[in-house]
């Protein structure tokens, strides 16, 4: 039978056709009025997508570049910082902060879990200069409570900046940066905005811009103040990834078009889409007898434990070879234990039902799971969708 290859991975995610066309047509020079018009428009749209009045900066790098920029621009060697980690991406904050000479306090929770705000409160010191966390820890499919941490920092009058990797939080989770008082929100292009890898972006609060005036960690390519200055003139400091910026513009147009041109409302619909698909997936997986890995499941991606005695790689491989569906295994020490299915970006009902049907096939015919038959996964998914559609 024909098998179409389809990505169900939490970055890169499936590409929006309109963005692909925009990329192919983006044969323009970056020091021209055409590019300046494009860049200024995309930066303004991106603010609406993030949902902030703060300036947003685009960098030509994968998401980690913007994570690094927020460490190098906002800390000085010896600064005390707090990292909240419960997965591979949380560990990246620790590694980055150490690489830039920070004195790092770490709250580390087991994979699949999230933090207790009381623990965060206890770990905060008077001299804590910054707190780093994920909105959604993609390696474990877990949501963390950004609003709770933001509130806590306000409550205790902390001077710490709150720096959030929202690379899979944006477009999947309601995030109100300005109202909550988040200082930096980091995003990446290959996630909910439906374009290829290669761009990262970050929204930066006034408080964080002020902090940058006094920090002295080394930075050059990722100097945010330089980028901000150039962005005001519709340019970037160095040659930008022009084609990806054109693609991003097309994707943001598409998101706005979901709500008659209102980008904020379109983003809310995108968030809702991910949440409904995530719920369909969770209920289908539980009905198949699988256990969810996370105690606080993320709408960006669902991490599912393989049944006892089954290597999760078998499920990943069966979906790929039999159905062309690409899902991801666990990362690092979670490899073999779990598989992950993405919901962020350009996924719809048909994609979701097809994947769940394929998973059901694998459960029935490859794994021969007890108490599972055709329909076991699909019926609950249908119900979740029908309930959401009736709202
Ligand atoms: C994808 C992702 C990143 C960025 O990874 P890159 O490979 O540098 O793009 C960072 N944090 C989270 C939570 C992610 O999902």
């Amino acid at each position: 039978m024909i098998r179409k290859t389809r990505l169900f991975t939490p970055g890169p995610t499936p590409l929006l056709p309109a963005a692909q066309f925009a990329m192919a047509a983006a044969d323009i020079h970056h020091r021209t009025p055409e590019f300046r018009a494009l860049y200024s428009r995309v930066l303004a749209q991106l603010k609406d997508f993030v949902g902030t009045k703060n300036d947003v900066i685009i960098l030509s790098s994968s998401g980690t570049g913007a994570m690094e920029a927020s460490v190098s621009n906002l800390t000085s060697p010896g600064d005390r910082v707090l990292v909240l980690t419960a997965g591979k991406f949380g560990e990246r904050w620790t590694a980055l902060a150490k690489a830039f000479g920070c004195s790092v306090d770490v709250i580390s929770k087991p994979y699949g879990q999230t933090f207790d705000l009381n623990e965060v409160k206890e770990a905060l010191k008077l001299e804590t200069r910054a707190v780093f966390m994920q909105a959604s820890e993609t390696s474990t499919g877990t949501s963390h409570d950004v609003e709770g941490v933001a509130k806590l920092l306000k409550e205790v009058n902390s001077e710490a900046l709150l720096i959030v990797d929202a690379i899979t939080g944006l477009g999947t989770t309601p995030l109100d940066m300005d109202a909550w008082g988040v200082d930096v929100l980091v995003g990446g292009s290959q996630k909910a905005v439906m374009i290829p890898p290669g761009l990262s972006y970050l929204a930066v609060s006034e408080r964080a811009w002020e902090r940058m005036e006094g920090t002295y960690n080394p930075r050059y390519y990722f100097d945010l103040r330089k980028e901000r200055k150039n962005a005001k003139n519709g340019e970037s400091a160095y040659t930008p990834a022009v084609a990806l910026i054109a693609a991003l513009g097309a994707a943001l147009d598409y998101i706005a078009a979901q709500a008659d041109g209102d980008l904020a409302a379109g983003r809310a619909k995108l968030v809702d889409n991910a949440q409904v698909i995530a719920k369909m997936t969770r209920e289908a997986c539980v009905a198949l007898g699988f256990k969810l890995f996370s105690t606080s499941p993320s709408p960006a991606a669902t991490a599912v434990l393989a049944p006892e005695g089954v290597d999760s790689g078998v499920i990943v491989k069966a979906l790929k070879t039999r159905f062309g569906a690409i899902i991801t295994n666990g990362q690092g020490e979670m490899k073999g234990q779990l598989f992950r299915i993405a919901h962020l970006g350009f996924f719809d009902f048909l994609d979701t039902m097809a994947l769940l049907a394929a998973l059901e096939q694998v459960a029935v015919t490859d794994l021969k799971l007890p108490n599972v038959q055709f329909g076991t996964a699909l019926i609950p998914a249908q119900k979740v969708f029908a309930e959401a559609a009736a709202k």
Side-chain angles (χ1 to χ4, degrees), residues 45-57:
Q45 284 179 308
L46 203 48
K47 272 190 185 196
D48 290 338
F49 177 71
V50 173
T52 182
K53 297 214 158 35
N54 292 319
D55 282 352
V56 176
I57 301 297

Side-chain angles (χ1 to χ4, degrees), residues 280-281 283-290 304 307 315 318-319 322-323 325 327 339 341 351-382:
M280 289 166 72
T281 305
E283 299 211 356
C285 287
V286 168
L288 289 172
F290 296 133
V304 185
I315 298 168
L319 284 170
R322 295 191 57 201
F323 302 103
I327 64 165
F339 58 91
I341 300 170
D351 298 323
T352 308
M353 290 305 286
L355 179 71
L356 296 174
L359 188 61
E360 196 177 82
Q361 283 282 348
V362 171
V364 171
T365 60
D366 299 52
L367 306 178
K368 301 185 173 41
L369 295 182
N371 309 321
V372 169
Q373 57 211 20
F374 294 134
T376 301
L378 294 180
I379 291 167
Q382 292 278 30

Side-chain angles (χ1 to χ4, degrees), residues 12 96 119 137 139 167 190 220 237 244 269 281 313 335 345 348 389:
L96 275 166
E119 280 175 284
E137 173 54 76
S139 68
I167 294 176
Q190 78 276 34
Y220 185 81
L244 289 173
K269 287 200 169 177
T281 305
K335 192 165 182 208
D348 68 2

Side-chain angles (χ1 to χ4, degrees), residues 200-372:
S200 62
Y201 55 95
L202 65 179
V204 181
S205 74
E206 275 315 312
R207 200 164 78 121
W209 288 113
E210 279 161 29
R211 174 75 61 89
M212 261 179 256
E213 299 297 324
T215 54
Y216 51 89
N217 250 321
R219 66 201 80 139
Y220 185 81
Y221 187 71
F222 291 140
D223 186 334
L224 295 177
R225 288 193 299 162
K226 195 160 53 189
E227 287 299 341
R228 185 191 204 193
K229 218 164 127 192
N230 280 280
K232 292 230 185 320
N233 304 318
E235 296 202 2
S236 63
Y238 310 103
T239 312
V242 174
L244 289 173
I245 288 162
L248 182 56
L252 294 171
D253 285 346
Y254 173 82
I255 295 168
Q258 302 308 303
D260 302 323
D262 179 342
L263 193 45
R267 178 200 56 218
K269 287 200 169 177
L270 188 67
V271 167
D272 200 48
N273 185 67
Q275 297 201 341
V276 172
I277 289 175
K279 191 166 186 219
M280 289 166 72
T281 305
R282 287 195 300 268
E283 299 211 356
C285 287
V286 168
L288 289 172
F290 296 133
K291 289 198 175 68
L292 302 178
F293 181 61
S294 177
T295 57
S296 168
S298 166
T302 299
V304 185
L305 283 164
E308 195 92 359
V310 176
D311 187 307
S312 62
V314 170
I315 298 168
V316 174
K317 193 168 167 204
L319 284 170
K320 182 177 178 197
T321 53
R322 295 191 57 201
F323 302 103
I326 314 296
I327 64 165
T328 39
N329 207 316
Q331 281 171 275
E333 50 265 58
M334 292 167 286
K335 192 165 182 208
Q337 295 177 41
L338 55 89
F339 58 91
R340 292 173 300 147
I341 300 170
H343 320 301
L344 72 174
F346 196 47
F347 293 111
D348 68 2
F349 172 77
L350 292 184
D351 298 323
T352 308
M353 290 305 286
L355 179 71
L356 296 174
L359 188 61
E360 196 177 82
Q361 283 282 348
V362 171
V364 171
T365 60
D366 299 52
L367 306 178
K368 301 185 173 41
L369 295 182
N371 309 321
V372 169

Side-chain angles (χ1 to χ4, degrees), residues 10-12 61-67 88-90 92-93 134-139 165-169 186-191 197-200 300 331 340 344:
S61 73
S62 79
T64 307
M67 292 172 75
K88 287 285 156 202
F89 291 105
R92 190 164 298 177
W93 277 135
Q134 268 64 38
S136 158
E137 173 54 76
T138 319
S139 68
D165 163 4
I167 294 176
T168 58
V186 177
S189 59
Q190 78 276 34
K191 309 283 176 151
L199 291 182
S200 62
Q331 281 171 275
R340 292 173 300 147
L344 72 174

Side-chain angles (χ1 to χ4, degrees), residues 48-101:
D48 290 338
F49 177 71
V50 173
T52 182
K53 297 214 158 35
N54 292 319
D55 282 352
V56 176
I57 301 297
I58 297 176
L59 302 170
S60 297
S61 73
S62 79
T64 307
M67 292 172 75
E68 171 162 331
S70 47
V71 175
S72 64
N73 284 263
L74 290 166
T75 66
S76 301
D79 272 5
R80 188 139 202 175
V81 304
L82 175 63
V83 173
L84 314 184
T85 170
K88 287 285 156 202
F89 291 105
E91 288 161 18
R92 190 164 298 177
W93 277 135
T94 308
L96 275 166
K98 284 188 176 159
F100 284 90

